[in-house]
Amino acid sequence: MTFMPPQGYQSVCNLCIPYLGPINGGLRPGMSIYMQGHLPHHMKRFFCNLQCGEMEGSDIALHINPRFDGWDKVVFNSFQSGTWQEEKIVHMMPFHKGKAFELIIIVNTEGYQVNINGSEFYFFYHRLPVEMVCFLNIGEEVTIQTLNIIGVSGNQDLAGGYRLRPCLLCVQSVPYLDFIPAGMTPKRTIIIRGMVPYGANRFTINFKVAGSDDIAFHLTPRVMEGVVMRNSYLEGYWGEEENDINFFLLSSPSVSLCPCSVPCLSQISIRCGNRRYKVYVNGQHLCNFRHRIHPFGKVDRLEIIGEVQLSYIHF
């Protein structure tokens, strides 16, 4: 069974560095670029460029360049008409040699919000029209396990209901409760990306029903037990529990290990079909859960509780 990402979602895994790839449909406000990677112990620098073309010498709207040079810093700049512009230097190093990192670039009308390891790090104001950006270039001493571009052009764009909910990778982001835009519909996929900390016991994802306490789909990975429990809570009663699935894809601390043997972020994707929910973890099919409430379009809220740290949620 193949994982079907939602429209507006472009994903690449285990990038070959140097990497130069297109941004489907170009960049625009409302989009976000998410990457998770690892730095070697003896690295000196790497870069991430949002470029206006694929040829060498193309304009660069945003240049992010961490440098370990004795005066550790992160340099931001742009490259226009063959010339580097004024550097913006942050003398604070959020990256660490030999460790994993998370980098999120959130595009808005004024500039790029750059978040690193769950915290807001720097805001870079636009120097070139964001619509000119059509390629992403990553190079030098870095490993990138996952690259996700959210909000890319498709049959339905962000105005049609897709949105990114960036969280700040902190425990305060959980519990999470918010409305699902337009409710659950056939073929809709919700992507939840986050990390299960060392020693975590369990966390829960609930799809809740409008105007009630009913839970149409209750998904609880019991990490220490290595099982996934599924159930529903309707009219004040829990239904028949399903827990026949062994769960190792998110088990702490052994899953999604990067080369430095530390836990990295994992991705749960839940796709709504006409008869069932289909659950995928890191692109691999995990389980199904048949609808117990009809019409399932009544489901309009997503709740996440327990021992998990959120990175983003994509509707």
Side-chain angles (χ1 to χ4, degrees):
M1 191 175 296
T2 304
F3 165 64
M4 296 291 292
Q7 297 166 349
Y9 187 86
Q10 179 183 345
S11 181
V12 184
C13 295
N14 298 319
L15 279 66
C16 181
I17 304 296
Y19 171 83
L20 178 64
I23 299 173
N24 295 340
L27 207 60
R28 63 185 183 276
M31 294 177 62
S32 294
I33 297 172
Y34 166 92
M35 64 186 74
Q36 181 264 318
H38 172 256
L39 299 181
H41 286 280
H42 304 294
M43 62 89 62
K44 293 183 179 179
R45 64 175 61 190
F46 75 94
F47 68 81
C48 173
N49 292 338
L50 297 182
Q51 298 189 179
C52 303
E54 60 180 318
M55 304 299 293
E56 185 174 352
S58 296
D59 284 354
I60 299 172
L62 172 63
H63 171 73
I64 305 174
N65 183 205
R67 301 176 186 176
F68 293 88
D69 56 5
W71 301 88
D72 296 355
K73 55 186 173 289
V74 181
V75 176
F76 294 86
N77 208 341
S78 62
F79 184 80
Q80 299 171 232
S81 303
T83 304
W84 286 105
Q85 305 301 301
E86 180 186 359
E87 288 186 341
K88 299 295 183 179
I89 301 175
V90 181
H91 290 282
M92 181 174 64
M93 180 55 72
F95 300 96
H96 302 280
K97 294 181 181 181
K99 293 188 177 181
F101 69 88
E102 179 191 62
L103 171 64
I104 300 177
I105 304 171
I106 301 172
V107 187
N108 64 37
T109 56
E110 295 183 347
Y112 303 97
Q113 175 62 54
V114 178
N115 295 352
I116 300 173
N117 296 333
S119 298
E120 294 184 356
F121 183 72
Y122 188 76
F123 189 88
F124 187 85
Y125 287 94
H126 291 308
R127 297 177 177 178
L128 290 169
V130 64
E131 294 79 11
M132 293 177 61
V133 177
C134 54
F135 276 85
L136 175 65
N137 185 16
I138 304 171
E140 299 196 61
E141 301 163 286
V142 66
T143 298
I144 302 295
Q145 284 93 19
T146 303
L147 167 66
N148 295 323
I149 303 175
I150 302 170
V152 295
S153 294
N155 294 330
Q156 186 174 6
D157 64 15
L158 291 174
Y162 297 113
R163 58 176 176 166
L164 170 71
R165 265 306 161 85
C167 303
L168 294 181
L169 279 180
C170 56
V171 176
Q172 287 81 0
S173 297
V174 178
Y176 169 93
L177 177 64
D178 202 359
F179 286 96
I180 300 170
M184 294 303 291
T185 56
K187 299 183 179 181
R188 173 165 232 169
T189 299
I190 294 179
I191 295 177
I192 302 165
R193 193 165 183 86
M195 184 183 73
V196 181
Y198 281 108
N201 183 26
R202 66 178 64 183
F203 64 95
T204 296
I205 300 171
N206 289 326
F207 287 82
K208 308 189 80 170
V209 180
S212 73
D213 293 325
D214 287 356
I215 302 173
F217 182 24
H218 172 81
L219 176 71
T220 300
R222 295 173 177 172
V223 179
M224 304 304 291
E225 300 173 37
V227 298
V228 177
M229 192 274 287
R230 293 95 65 207
N231 208 339
S232 61
Y233 182 81
L234 304 176
E235 298 181 352
Y237 295 94
W238 287 104
E240 182 180 355
E241 183 175 295
E242 302 175 16
N243 61 2
D244 56 316
I245 303 297
N246 289 328
F247 189 63
F248 299 105
L249 293 173
L250 269 173
S251 298
S252 172
S254 61
V255 303
S256 296
L257 296 183
C258 70
C260 58
S261 298
V262 299
C264 299
L265 298 172
S266 298
Q267 177 174 292
I268 296 180
S269 307
I270 302 175
R271 182 174 175 83
C272 182
N274 288 314
R275 297 182 179 180
R276 61 182 68 86
Y277 295 99
K278 300 176 182 179
V279 181
Y280 300 81
V281 176
N282 297 331
Q284 300 180 44
H285 179 251
L286 177 70
C287 63
N288 295 332
F289 184 79
R290 289 187 175 274
H291 293 303
R292 296 181 180 178
I293 185 170
H294 297 278
F296 52 79
K298 293 181 179 179
V299 177
D300 70 345
R301 284 171 293 158
L302 174 67
E303 180 182 52
I304 303 173
I305 57 178
E307 298 167 283
V308 64
Q309 297 176 9
L310 297 179
S311 176
Y312 66 70
I313 299 171
H314 181 221
F315 293 106

Short mmCIF file of all heavy atoms in Angstrom, two decimals, residues 78-131:
data_model
loop_
_atom_site.label_atom_id
_atom_site.label_comp_id
_atom_site.label_asym_id
_atom_site.label_seq_id
_atom_site.Cartn_x
_atom_site.Cartn_y
_atom_site.Cartn_z
N SER A 78 22.15 37.72 0.19
CA SER A 78 21.53 37.48 -1.11
C SER A 78 22.58 37.74 -2.18
O SER A 78 23.60 38.40 -1.94
CB SER A 78 20.30 38.38 -1.32
OG SER A 78 20.69 39.74 -1.30
N PHE A 79 22.32 37.20 -3.38
CA PHE A 79 23.25 37.33 -4.50
C PHE A 79 22.46 37.84 -5.69
O PHE A 79 21.52 37.18 -6.16
CB PHE A 79 23.88 35.97 -4.81
CG PHE A 79 24.93 35.98 -5.87
CD1 PHE A 79 26.23 36.38 -5.60
CD2 PHE A 79 24.63 35.57 -7.17
CE1 PHE A 79 27.22 36.36 -6.58
CE2 PHE A 79 25.59 35.55 -8.16
CZ PHE A 79 26.90 35.95 -7.86
N GLN A 80 22.82 39.06 -6.17
CA GLN A 80 22.02 39.69 -7.21
C GLN A 80 22.93 40.24 -8.30
O GLN A 80 23.94 40.91 -8.02
CB GLN A 80 21.19 40.83 -6.62
CG GLN A 80 20.20 40.39 -5.55
CD GLN A 80 19.56 41.55 -4.84
OE1 GLN A 80 19.54 41.61 -3.60
NE2 GLN A 80 19.01 42.49 -5.61
N SER A 81 22.58 39.91 -9.54
CA SER A 81 23.29 40.42 -10.71
C SER A 81 24.80 40.17 -10.61
O SER A 81 25.62 41.04 -10.91
CB SER A 81 23.02 41.93 -10.90
OG SER A 81 21.63 42.17 -11.02
N GLY A 82 25.16 38.99 -10.11
CA GLY A 82 26.56 38.60 -10.05
C GLY A 82 27.32 39.13 -8.86
O GLY A 82 28.55 38.95 -8.79
N THR A 83 26.64 39.74 -7.89
CA THR A 83 27.33 40.35 -6.76
C THR A 83 26.65 39.97 -5.45
O THR A 83 25.41 40.06 -5.34
CB THR A 83 27.34 41.88 -6.90
OG1 THR A 83 27.93 42.24 -8.15
CG2 THR A 83 28.13 42.52 -5.75
N TRP A 84 27.46 39.59 -4.46
CA TRP A 84 26.93 39.38 -3.13
C TRP A 84 26.55 40.72 -2.52
O TRP A 84 27.26 41.71 -2.68
CB TRP A 84 27.96 38.67 -2.24
CG TRP A 84 28.13 37.21 -2.56
CD1 TRP A 84 29.16 36.64 -3.22
CD2 TRP A 84 27.21 36.16 -2.24
NE1 TRP A 84 28.97 35.29 -3.34
CE2 TRP A 84 27.78 34.96 -2.74
CE3 TRP A 84 25.98 36.10 -1.58
CZ2 TRP A 84 27.15 33.73 -2.61
CZ3 TRP A 84 25.36 34.87 -1.44
CH2 TRP A 84 25.93 33.71 -1.94
N GLN A 85 25.44 40.73 -1.79
CA GLN A 85 24.95 41.95 -1.18
C GLN A 85 25.44 42.06 0.28
O GLN A 85 26.36 41.34 0.68
CB GLN A 85 23.43 41.98 -1.27
CG GLN A 85 22.90 41.82 -2.68
CD GLN A 85 23.40 42.89 -3.64
OE1 GLN A 85 23.17 44.07 -3.41
NE2 GLN A 85 24.09 42.48 -4.70
N GLU A 86 24.83 42.91 1.05
CA GLU A 86 25.26 43.15 2.43
C GLU A 86 24.98 41.93 3.30
O GLU A 86 23.86 41.43 3.36
CB GLU A 86 24.54 44.36 3.01
CG GLU A 86 24.92 44.68 4.45
CD GLU A 86 24.10 45.79 5.04
OE1 GLU A 86 23.22 46.33 4.32
OE2 GLU A 86 24.31 46.11 6.23
N GLU A 87 26.01 41.44 3.98
CA GLU A 87 25.85 40.31 4.88
C GLU A 87 25.12 40.72 6.16
O GLU A 87 25.30 41.83 6.67
CB GLU A 87 27.22 39.73 5.28
CG GLU A 87 27.94 38.98 4.19
CD GLU A 87 29.21 38.33 4.70
OE1 GLU A 87 29.71 38.75 5.78
OE2 GLU A 87 29.72 37.42 4.03
N LYS A 88 24.30 39.80 6.65
CA LYS A 88 23.70 39.93 7.97
C LYS A 88 24.25 38.78 8.80
O LYS A 88 24.05 37.61 8.45
CB LYS A 88 22.17 39.87 7.90
CG LYS A 88 21.54 40.97 7.07
CD LYS A 88 21.78 42.35 7.70
CE LYS A 88 21.09 43.44 6.89
NZ LYS A 88 21.29 44.78 7.49
N ILE A 89 24.97 39.10 9.86
CA ILE A 89 25.70 38.10 10.62
C ILE A 89 25.11 37.96 12.02
O ILE A 89 24.91 38.96 12.72
CB ILE A 89 27.20 38.46 10.71
CG1 ILE A 89 27.80 38.57 9.30
CG2 ILE A 89 27.95 37.43 11.54
CD1 ILE A 89 29.24 39.04 9.29
N VAL A 90 24.84 36.72 12.39
CA VAL A 90 24.37 36.43 13.74
C VAL A 90 25.49 35.68 14.46
O VAL A 90 25.85 34.56 14.08
CB VAL A 90 23.09 35.57 13.72
CG1 VAL A 90 22.62 35.31 15.15
CG2 VAL A 90 22.00 36.28 12.92
N HIS A 91 26.07 36.30 15.48
CA HIS A 91 27.18 35.69 16.22
C HIS A 91 26.64 34.78 17.33
O HIS A 91 26.96 34.96 18.51
CB HIS A 91 28.09 36.78 16.79
CG HIS A 91 28.86 37.50 15.74
ND1 HIS A 91 29.98 36.99 15.13
CD2 HIS A 91 28.64 38.72 15.17
CE1 HIS A 91 30.44 37.84 14.25
NE2 HIS A 91 29.65 38.91 14.24
N MET A 92 25.85 33.84 16.92
CA MET A 92 25.32 32.83 17.83
C MET A 92 25.14 31.57 17.01
O MET A 92 24.56 31.63 15.91
CB MET A 92 24.00 33.28 18.46
CG MET A 92 23.41 32.28 19.43
SD MET A 92 21.93 32.92 20.26
CE MET A 92 20.80 33.12 18.88
N MET A 93 25.64 30.44 17.47
CA MET A 93 25.62 29.23 16.67
C MET A 93 24.60 28.23 17.23
O MET A 93 24.81 27.64 18.29
CB MET A 93 27.01 28.59 16.65
CG MET A 93 27.07 27.31 15.83
SD MET A 93 26.48 27.50 14.12
CE MET A 93 27.83 28.46 13.42
N PRO A 94 23.46 28.08 16.54
CA PRO A 94 22.45 27.13 17.01
C PRO A 94 22.73 25.70 16.57
O PRO A 94 22.10 24.76 17.06
CB PRO A 94 21.17 27.65 16.35
CG PRO A 94 21.66 28.25 15.06
CD PRO A 94 23.03 28.81 15.35
N PHE A 95 23.66 25.52 15.62
CA PHE A 95 24.02 24.19 15.14
C PHE A 95 25.18 23.64 15.98
O PHE A 95 25.99 24.41 16.51
CB PHE A 95 24.44 24.25 13.67
CG PHE A 95 23.37 24.76 12.75
CD1 PHE A 95 23.34 26.10 12.38
CD2 PHE A 95 22.40 23.91 12.25
CE1 PHE A 95 22.37 26.59 11.54
CE2 PHE A 95 21.41 24.39 11.39
CZ PHE A 95 21.40 25.72 11.04
N HIS A 96 25.27 22.32 16.04
CA HIS A 96 26.31 21.68 16.84
C HIS A 96 26.94 20.54 16.04
O HIS A 96 26.24 19.70 15.48
CB HIS A 96 25.74 21.15 18.15
CG HIS A 96 25.07 22.20 18.99
ND1 HIS A 96 25.77 23.07 19.78
CD2 HIS A 96 23.75 22.51 19.11
CE1 HIS A 96 24.92 23.89 20.39
NE2 HIS A 96 23.69 23.57 20.00
N LYS A 97 28.27 20.54 15.99
CA LYS A 97 28.97 19.49 15.27
C LYS A 97 28.64 18.12 15.86
O LYS A 97 28.57 17.96 17.07
CB LYS A 97 30.48 19.73 15.33
CG LYS A 97 30.97 20.98 14.62
CD LYS A 97 32.47 21.09 14.73
CE LYS A 97 33.00 22.35 14.04
NZ LYS A 97 34.48 22.45 14.12
N GLY A 98 28.46 17.16 14.98
CA GLY A 98 28.18 15.80 15.42
C GLY A 98 26.76 15.56 15.88
O GLY A 98 26.46 14.48 16.40
N LYS A 99 25.87 16.54 15.67
CA LYS A 99 24.50 16.39 16.15
C LYS A 99 23.49 16.67 15.04
O LYS A 99 23.79 17.29 14.03
CB LYS A 99 24.25 17.33 17.34
CG LYS A 99 25.06 16.96 18.58
CD LYS A 99 24.62 17.79 19.78
CE LYS A 99 25.38 17.38 21.02
NZ LYS A 99 24.95 18.16 22.22
N ALA A 100 22.28 16.20 15.29
CA ALA A 100 21.17 16.43 14.36
C ALA A 100 20.64 17.85 14.52
O ALA A 100 20.84 18.50 15.55
CB ALA A 100 20.07 15.42 14.61
N PHE A 101 19.97 18.33 13.48
CA PHE A 101 19.35 19.65 13.55
C PHE A 101 18.07 19.66 12.74
O PHE A 101 17.83 18.81 11.89
CB PHE A 101 20.30 20.74 13.02
CG PHE A 101 20.55 20.67 11.54
CD1 PHE A 101 19.72 21.33 10.65
CD2 PHE A 101 21.62 19.93 11.04
CE1 PHE A 101 19.95 21.26 9.28
CE2 PHE A 101 21.85 19.86 9.67
CZ PHE A 101 21.02 20.52 8.79
N GLU A 102 17.25 20.66 13.01
CA GLU A 102 16.03 20.91 12.24
C GLU A 102 16.04 22.36 11.80
O GLU A 102 16.31 23.26 12.60
CB GLU A 102 14.80 20.64 13.09
CG GLU A 102 13.49 20.91 12.33
CD GLU A 102 12.31 20.90 13.28
OE1 GLU A 102 12.28 21.75 14.19
OE2 GLU A 102 11.43 20.05 13.09
N LEU A 103 15.77 22.59 10.54
CA LEU A 103 15.74 23.93 9.96
C LEU A 103 14.41 24.13 9.25
O LEU A 103 14.04 23.32 8.39
CB LEU A 103 16.90 24.13 8.99
CG LEU A 103 16.91 25.40 8.13
CD1 LEU A 103 17.04 26.64 9.00
CD2 LEU A 103 18.05 25.34 7.12
N ILE A 104 13.67 25.17 9.62
CA ILE A 104 12.40 25.50 8.97
C ILE A 104 12.48 26.93 8.45
O ILE A 104 12.85 27.85 9.19
CB ILE A 104 11.21 25.35 9.93
CG1 ILE A 104 11.10 23.92 10.45
CG2 ILE A 104 9.91 25.75 9.25
CD1 ILE A 104 9.98 23.72 11.46
N ILE A 105 12.14 27.12 7.18
CA ILE A 105 12.07 28.45 6.58
C ILE A 105 10.60 28.72 6.26
O ILE A 105 10.00 28.04 5.43
CB ILE A 105 12.91 28.54 5.30
CG1 ILE A 105 14.37 28.15 5.57
CG2 ILE A 105 12.84 29.95 4.70
CD1 ILE A 105 15.21 28.01 4.32
N ILE A 106 10.02 29.70 6.94
CA ILE A 106 8.62 30.06 6.74
C ILE A 106 8.57 31.33 5.90
O ILE A 106 9.19 32.34 6.26
CB ILE A 106 7.91 30.27 8.09
CG1 ILE A 106 8.00 28.98 8.93
CG2 ILE A 106 6.45 30.67 7.88
CD1 ILE A 106 7.50 29.15 10.35
N VAL A 107 7.87 31.29 4.79
CA VAL A 107 7.82 32.40 3.84
C VAL A 107 6.59 33.25 4.12
O VAL A 107 5.47 32.73 4.16
CB VAL A 107 7.79 31.89 2.39
CG1 VAL A 107 7.91 33.05 1.41
CG2 VAL A 107 8.89 30.86 2.15
N ASN A 108 6.79 34.54 4.32
CA ASN A 108 5.63 35.43 4.40
C ASN A 108 5.83 36.62 3.47
O ASN A 108 6.80 36.66 2.71
CB ASN A 108 5.34 35.85 5.86
CG ASN A 108 6.44 36.68 6.46
OD1 ASN A 108 7.07 37.50 5.80
ND2 ASN A 108 6.68 36.48 7.76
N THR A 109 4.93 37.58 3.52
CA THR A 109 4.96 38.67 2.54
C THR A 109 6.14 39.61 2.74
O THR A 109 6.55 40.29 1.81
CB THR A 109 3.66 39.48 2.61
OG1 THR A 109 3.46 39.94 3.94
CG2 THR A 109 2.47 38.62 2.18
N GLU A 110 6.71 39.64 3.95
CA GLU A 110 7.80 40.57 4.23
C GLU A 110 9.18 39.93 4.15
O GLU A 110 10.17 40.61 3.90
CB GLU A 110 7.61 41.19 5.62
CG GLU A 110 6.37 42.06 5.73
CD GLU A 110 6.27 42.73 7.09
OE1 GLU A 110 7.01 42.31 8.01
OE2 GLU A 110 5.46 43.65 7.23
N GLY A 111 9.25 38.62 4.37
CA GLY A 111 10.56 37.98 4.37
C GLY A 111 10.48 36.53 4.76
O GLY A 111 9.43 35.89 4.65
N TYR A 112 11.63 36.00 5.23
CA TYR A 112 11.76 34.60 5.59
C TYR A 112 12.02 34.49 7.09
O TYR A 112 13.00 35.04 7.60
CB TYR A 112 12.94 33.96 4.85
CG TYR A 112 12.85 34.07 3.34
CD1 TYR A 112 13.54 35.08 2.66
CD2 TYR A 112 12.11 33.16 2.60
CE1 TYR A 112 13.47 35.18 1.28
CE2 TYR A 112 12.03 33.25 1.22
CZ TYR A 112 12.72 34.26 0.56
OH TYR A 112 12.65 34.36 -0.80
N GLN A 113 11.15 33.76 7.79
CA GLN A 113 11.38 33.46 9.19
C GLN A 113 12.14 32.15 9.26
O GLN A 113 11.64 31.11 8.82
CB GLN A 113 10.06 33.34 9.96
CG GLN A 113 10.23 32.90 11.41
CD GLN A 113 11.04 33.89 12.21
OE1 GLN A 113 10.74 35.07 12.26
NE2 GLN A 113 12.12 33.41 12.86
N VAL A 114 13.36 32.19 9.80
CA VAL A 114 14.20 31.01 9.88
C VAL A 114 14.18 30.49 11.32
O VAL A 114 14.58 31.20 12.25
CB VAL A 114 15.65 31.33 9.45
CG1 VAL A 114 16.54 30.10 9.59
CG2 VAL A 114 15.67 31.86 8.02
N ASN A 115 13.67 29.27 11.49
CA ASN A 115 13.63 28.62 12.79
C ASN A 115 14.63 27.47 12.80
O ASN A 115 14.68 26.68 11.85
CB ASN A 115 12.23 28.08 13.09
CG ASN A 115 11.20 29.18 13.23
OD1 ASN A 115 11.54 30.37 13.25
ND2 ASN A 115 9.94 28.80 13.32
N ILE A 116 15.39 27.36 13.87
CA ILE A 116 16.39 26.31 13.98
C ILE A 116 16.20 25.58 15.30
O ILE A 116 16.13 26.22 16.36
CB ILE A 116 17.82 26.89 13.87
CG1 ILE A 116 18.00 27.59 12.52
CG2 ILE A 116 18.87 25.79 14.05
CD1 ILE A 116 19.31 28.34 12.39
N ASN A 117 16.09 24.27 15.21
CA ASN A 117 15.93 23.42 16.40
C ASN A 117 14.78 23.88 17.28
O ASN A 117 14.88 23.92 18.51
CB ASN A 117 17.23 23.35 17.20
CG ASN A 117 18.35 22.69 16.41
OD1 ASN A 117 18.11 21.87 15.53
ND2 ASN A 117 19.58 23.07 16.71
N GLY A 118 13.69 24.27 16.63
CA GLY A 118 12.47 24.59 17.35
C GLY A 118 12.35 26.00 17.86
O GLY A 118 11.35 26.33 18.48
N SER A 119 13.33 26.86 17.59
CA SER A 119 13.27 28.24 18.07
C SER A 119 13.41 29.22 16.90
O SER A 119 14.11 28.94 15.94
CB SER A 119 14.40 28.51 19.08
OG SER A 119 14.27 27.68 20.21
N GLU A 120 12.73 30.36 17.02
CA GLU A 120 12.90 31.41 16.03
C GLU A 120 14.33 31.94 16.11
O GLU A 120 14.79 32.31 17.19
CB GLU A 120 11.90 32.53 16.26
CG GLU A 120 10.45 32.10 16.04
CD GLU A 120 9.48 33.26 16.19
OE1 GLU A 120 9.94 34.37 16.55
OE2 GLU A 120 8.28 33.06 15.96
N PHE A 121 15.02 31.97 14.97
CA PHE A 121 16.43 32.36 14.99
C PHE A 121 16.68 33.70 14.30
O PHE A 121 17.35 34.56 14.85
CB PHE A 121 17.27 31.27 14.31
CG PHE A 121 18.75 31.55 14.33
CD1 PHE A 121 19.46 31.46 15.52
CD2 PHE A 121 19.42 31.93 13.18
CE1 PHE A 121 20.82 31.72 15.56
CE2 PHE A 121 20.78 32.21 13.20
CZ PHE A 121 21.48 32.11 14.40
N TYR A 122 16.14 33.89 13.09
CA TYR A 122 16.42 35.14 12.38
C TYR A 122 15.33 35.39 11.34
O TYR A 122 14.79 34.44 10.75
CB TYR A 122 17.79 35.07 11.69
CG TYR A 122 18.23 36.39 11.09
CD1 TYR A 122 18.70 37.41 11.90
CD2 TYR A 122 18.16 36.62 9.71
CE1 TYR A 122 19.11 38.63 11.37
CE2 TYR A 122 18.56 37.83 9.17
CZ TYR A 122 19.02 38.83 10.00
OH TYR A 122 19.42 40.04 9.48
N PHE A 123 15.02 36.67 11.13
CA PHE A 123 14.08 37.06 10.08
C PHE A 123 14.84 37.84 9.02
O PHE A 123 15.46 38.87 9.31
CB PHE A 123 12.95 37.93 10.66
CG PHE A 123 11.84 38.19 9.67
CD1 PHE A 123 10.78 37.31 9.57
CD2 PHE A 123 11.87 39.31 8.86
CE1 PHE A 123 9.76 37.54 8.65
CE2 PHE A 123 10.87 39.55 7.94
CZ PHE A 123 9.80 38.66 7.84
N PHE A 124 14.80 37.34 7.78
CA PHE A 124 15.52 37.95 6.67
C PHE A 124 14.52 38.59 5.73
O PHE A 124 13.69 37.90 5.12
CB PHE A 124 16.33 36.88 5.93
CG PHE A 124 17.24 37.43 4.86
CD1 PHE A 124 18.52 37.88 5.18
CD2 PHE A 124 16.84 37.48 3.53
CE1 PHE A 124 19.37 38.38 4.19
CE2 PHE A 124 17.67 37.98 2.54
CZ PHE A 124 18.95 38.43 2.88
N TYR A 125 14.58 39.92 5.60
CA TYR A 125 13.62 40.63 4.76
C TYR A 125 13.91 40.37 3.27
O TYR A 125 15.06 40.24 2.86
CB TYR A 125 13.67 42.13 5.05
CG TYR A 125 13.05 42.50 6.37
CD1 TYR A 125 13.84 42.61 7.52
CD2 TYR A 125 11.67 42.71 6.49
CE1 TYR A 125 13.27 42.94 8.75
CE2 TYR A 125 11.10 43.03 7.70
CZ TYR A 125 11.90 43.14 8.83
OH TYR A 125 11.32 43.45 10.03
N HIS A 126 12.83 40.31 2.50
CA HIS A 126 12.97 40.06 1.06
C HIS A 126 13.82 41.15 0.39
O HIS A 126 13.62 42.34 0.63
CB HIS A 126 11.60 40.04 0.38
CG HIS A 126 10.75 38.86 0.75
ND1 HIS A 126 11.21 37.57 0.66
CD2 HIS A 126 9.46 38.78 1.21
CE1 HIS A 126 10.24 36.74 1.05
NE2 HIS A 126 9.18 37.46 1.39
N ARG A 127 14.76 40.70 -0.44
CA ARG A 127 15.51 41.60 -1.29
C ARG A 127 15.18 41.36 -2.76
O ARG A 127 15.46 42.21 -3.61
CB ARG A 127 17.01 41.40 -1.07
CG ARG A 127 17.48 41.72 0.34
CD ARG A 127 18.95 41.42 0.53
NE ARG A 127 19.44 41.79 1.84
CZ ARG A 127 20.70 41.58 2.25
NH1 ARG A 127 21.58 41.01 1.43
NH2 ARG A 127 21.06 41.92 3.46
N LEU A 128 14.62 40.20 -3.04
CA LEU A 128 14.15 39.85 -4.38
C LEU A 128 12.71 39.35 -4.26
O LEU A 128 12.33 38.78 -3.23
CB LEU A 128 15.02 38.74 -4.99
CG LEU A 128 16.46 39.12 -5.38
CD1 LEU A 128 17.27 37.87 -5.70
CD2 LEU A 128 16.45 40.06 -6.57
N PRO A 129 11.89 39.55 -5.28
CA PRO A 129 10.51 39.04 -5.23
C PRO A 129 10.52 37.53 -4.97
O PRO A 129 11.23 36.77 -5.64
CB PRO A 129 9.95 39.37 -6.62
CG PRO A 129 10.79 40.51 -7.09
CD PRO A 129 12.16 40.28 -6.54
N VAL A 130 9.75 37.12 -3.97
CA VAL A 130 9.75 35.72 -3.59
C VAL A 130 9.31 34.81 -4.74
O VAL A 130 9.75 33.67 -4.87
CB VAL A 130 8.86 35.51 -2.35
CG1 VAL A 130 7.40 35.83 -2.65
CG2 VAL A 130 9.00 34.11 -1.81
N GLU A 131 8.47 35.34 -5.64
CA GLU A 131 7.98 34.54 -6.76
C GLU A 131 9.08 34.15 -7.74
O GLU A 131 8.88 33.27 -8.59
CB GLU A 131 6.87 35.30 -7.49
CG GLU A 131 5.59 35.51 -6.68
CD GLU A 131 5.72 36.66 -5.68
OE1 GLU A 131 6.70 37.43 -5.74
OE2 GLU A 131 4.82 36.78 -4.82
#
